[in-house]
Amino acid sequence: MSLKLQPVRVANGYDEEGFLAFVDDRLAAVLVRLSEQHGELAGRWFIETAFGPLGAPNHPTFPDLAEAEKYIASRWRPS
């Protein structure tokens, strides 16, 4: 399995710093860094949207990108 992150700006008006997460060259998730608008969660990473096996409705936040990558890798099951 190959996991790659590509920086991207997300046009949602407040949590704009993001990454596209690709697993084996397939878009798996969009990660965003939470802004000050989120209080004590500010600076943490959140899966804004996810596809395939990551598409569960609730997603945790992560203290850094390495933890987000571990989460994605542990849940990705090829179709």
Side-chain angles (χ1 to χ4, degrees):
M1 179 185 79
S2 168
L3 176 59
K4 297 176 191 167
L5 298 181
Q6 176 182 327
V8 66
R9 301 297 294 176
V10 180
N12 65 8
Y14 44 91
D15 300 327
E16 293 190 355
E17 182 181 357
F19 283 89
L20 300 177
F22 293 92
V23 177
D24 297 331
D25 296 322
R26 297 167 66 191
L27 182 59
V30 178
L31 295 161
V32 296
R33 177 172 273 183
L34 298 175
S35 68
E36 296 298 322
Q37 179 178 350
H38 297 281
E40 64 186 46
L41 295 176
R44 293 181 65 88
W45 290 91
F46 175 72
I47 296 177
E48 183 74 28
T49 192
F51 306 98
L54 299 175
N58 297 315
H59 300 287
T61 62
F62 310 97
D64 54 46
L65 286 173
E67 289 300 314
E69 288 178 294
K70 285 181 195 175
Y71 176 87
I72 292 168
S74 72
R75 283 159 180 74
W76 190 262
R77 303 290 179 259
S79 54

